Amino acid sequence: MEVLRPQLIRIDGRIYRKNPIQEQTYQHEEEDEDFCQGFVESAEEPCDGYEVVQTQQGFQCTVKAPSLLYKHIVGKRGDTKKKLEVETKTSISIPKPGQEGEIVISGQHRSGVISARTRIDVLLLTFRRKQPFTHFLAFFLNEVEVQERFLKFQEEVLEKCSMDHGVDSSIFQNPKKLHLTIGMLVLLSEQEIQQTCEMLQQCKEEFIDDITGGKPLEVEMKGIEYMNDDPGMVDVLYAKVHMKDGSNRLQELVDRVLERFQASGLIVKEWNSVKLHATVMNTLFRKDPNAEGRYNLYTADGKYIFKERESFDGRNILKLFENFYFGTLKLNSVHISQRFTVDSFGNYASCGQIEFS
């Protein structure tokens, strides 16, 4: 990261710079806790962005955060919390580990309380981004016809292309888990799951009903495509999904849902539009049948995982099955699905959903 081009972090519509720092590490201690330096706030103090209450002792502000992230505000031996308190001239009260509650910032000066709140928000966002994704918004694509056609696709690919490098049965998706992802989520508490359910319901009332007309969206799964730029070294092969009537309604719906969740902070903004696809082959499945695409990059404590994958030669598959027909579906619901769980039908367990009709 260049000094003149620091990382930008968006919080509540404002953009902050995070300066590069030289971190000191200690033997036998984790590195990711030593993280308090290097914050530079925007030139204009965001005085109106937070609710700051005046008290008899001065000013106070509260921060809602899942207990899993408390340790990142405390830091090693409490160093991060102490440094924040000294630099902002505030007192920061954090619930004990495992207890849900609010972080309370108190100080004699309003500006100090706001500065501490801003820095805590940056810390929370930074370490939230290092958490593994726990849930995702998705359409299920596992209707019986599509599952049968998918198994036919698998059978024919193995019959005609099994001699191609890297092609074997281990890299095919489980047909019961076929889905179309709208966005990935990090939900670290029951309150955040409930917030996601409420946000999805708001989307339904505000624009989804208008887009769908209160009816299921009839779509077609047809044709295959690959993610990277070399068909001879493919890691992910997916089926294309589009509206049967040729309209753009499905794309409009998922893009607007994504936009709403990004604005709320529940989904980190990476793209402006969703690439509609249903994964049918993935080389991560080769070693871990429960792996889920590129979304399994961090452990629960924020450590990066490098997953070595053996790509496959997809040239013949792309040539022979370019327009393979997987079937027609009626999409009637969006689910909040939980990763690494299954329901009684073998699909991802759903924590909540909305229906169109």
Side-chain angles (χ1 to χ4, degrees):
M1 180 171 59
E2 299 180 18
V3 173
L4 298 180
R5 294 178 179 269
Q7 180 183 353
L8 300 180
I9 297 179
R10 182 186 297 271
I11 300 177
D12 293 332
R14 296 178 175 85
I15 297 177
Y16 301 92
R17 303 184 301 276
K18 183 162 78 71
N19 280 351
I21 59 173
Q22 182 68 41
E23 293 187 359
Q24 182 178 1
T25 58
Y26 300 86
Q27 242 184 337
H28 311 304
E29 293 183 338
E30 295 183 3
E31 297 179 5
D32 68 323
E33 299 297 334
D34 191 14
F35 185 94
C36 182
Q37 308 170 36
F39 296 113
V40 178
E41 300 180 25
S42 60
E44 182 179 351
E45 191 77 18
C47 296
D48 299 326
Y50 303 123
E51 183 179 347
V52 179
V53 178
Q54 190 165 7
T55 66
Q56 291 182 345
Q57 291 75 32
F59 297 89
Q60 191 174 90
C61 184
T62 59
V63 186
K64 291 183 179 180
S67 60
L68 186 64
L69 298 181
Y70 291 162
K71 64 180 181 180
H72 300 301
I73 309 302
V74 176
K76 295 174 185 173
R77 304 180 301 275
D79 289 350
T80 299
K81 176 175 173 289
K82 292 174 186 175
K83 186 174 179 64
L84 282 171
E85 291 175 326
V86 169
E87 293 187 348
T88 62
K89 296 181 173 62
T90 59
S91 174
I92 302 172
S93 175
I94 301 174
K96 293 180 180 179
Q99 294 183 354
E100 295 295 339
E102 293 183 331
I103 298 171
V104 180
I105 308 166
S106 304
Q108 294 184 354
H109 303 286
R110 178 185 175 89
S111 60
V113 171
I114 292 174
S115 178
R117 168 64 192 268
T118 301
R119 294 181 181 208
I120 287 174
D121 279 351
V122 172
L123 279 168
L124 290 172
L125 180 60
T126 299
F127 286 102
R128 176 179 285 276
R129 287 182 174 181
K130 289 188 175 185
Q131 299 301 311
F133 291 111
T134 59
H135 299 74
F136 58 97
L137 296 177
F139 294 97
F140 292 161
L141 306 176
N142 57 350
E143 291 188 9
V144 174
E145 177 196 358
V146 173
Q147 288 194 51
E148 291 175 351
R149 291 292 299 165
F150 170 82
L151 291 173
K152 181 66 174 176
F153 168 76
Q154 177 176 336
E155 178 186 342
E156 293 186 8
V157 167
L158 292 175
E159 179 183 332
K160 299 176 181 179
C161 306
S162 60
M163 298 301 292
D164 295 342
H165 176 76
V167 176
D168 61 53
S169 61
S170 68
I171 62 176
F172 286 85
Q173 174 67 282
N174 180 338
K176 295 179 180 179
K177 291 186 174 182
L178 288 168
H179 64 277
L180 188 158
T181 301
I182 298 174
M184 303 300 298
L185 298 157
V186 176
L187 305 179
L188 303 177
S189 67
E190 289 299 323
Q191 290 83 354
E192 292 188 349
I193 293 175
Q194 182 60 36
Q195 182 186 356
T196 303
C197 292
E198 293 170 358
M199 178 68 67
L200 195 56
Q201 182 62 36
Q202 290 175 14
C203 291
K204 171 179 166 59
E205 295 170 0
E206 294 178 17
F207 60 83
I208 290 179
D209 283 345
D210 288 339
I211 295 174
T212 64
K215 299 177 181 180
L217 297 178
E218 193 166 0
V219 303
E220 188 175 62
M221 280 181 63
K222 182 180 179 181
I224 57 173
E225 190 55 86
Y226 60 106
M227 284 292 187
N228 57 310
D229 58 1
D230 185 353
M233 295 184 65
V234 175
D235 283 320
V236 177
L237 191 77
Y238 62 89
K240 293 183 279 189
V241 182
H242 59 269
M243 287 291 297
K244 195 172 181 181
D245 63 9
S247 72
N248 199 42
R249 289 187 296 153
L250 177 59
Q251 187 70 59
E252 179 187 359
L253 187 154
V254 297
D255 285 347
R256 291 186 66 178
V257 169
L258 179 69
E259 181 182 13
R260 179 61 60 85
F261 273 78
Q262 287 174 339
S264 72
L266 287 169
I267 291 180
V268 176
K269 185 169 184 177
E270 294 182 272
W271 305 279
N272 293 322
S273 181
V274 177
K275 187 177 183 66
L276 298 174
H277 71 280
T279 299
V280 293
M281 298 173 71
N282 188 331
T283 56
L284 285 182
F285 298 154
R286 197 187 304 280
K287 293 184 178 180
D288 181 5
N290 295 313
E292 294 162 40
R294 55 189 175 75
Y295 302 117
N296 193 26
L297 299 180
Y298 291 96
T299 62
D301 60 355
K303 297 297 185 181
Y304 183 80
I305 302 171
F306 174 72
K307 287 207 167 186
E308 189 175 348
R309 20 195 333 171
E310 179 191 352
S311 301
F312 67 91
D313 186 344
R315 288 173 292 185
N316 283 331
I317 299 175
L318 290 161
K319 180 180 179 181
L320 296 172
F321 302 94
E322 179 182 7
N323 296 308
F324 187 89
Y325 177 74
F326 290 91
T328 299
L329 307 96
K330 290 185 177 181
L331 303 183
N332 194 40
S333 57
V334 176
H335 293 261
I336 303 167
S337 299
Q338 185 174 352
R339 300 180 68 204
F340 310 117
T341 62
V342 293
D343 60 18
S344 58
F345 300 102
N347 197 4
Y348 294 102
S350 179
C351 300
Q353 67 184 79
I354 57 166
E355 296 193 354
F356 304 156
S357 63

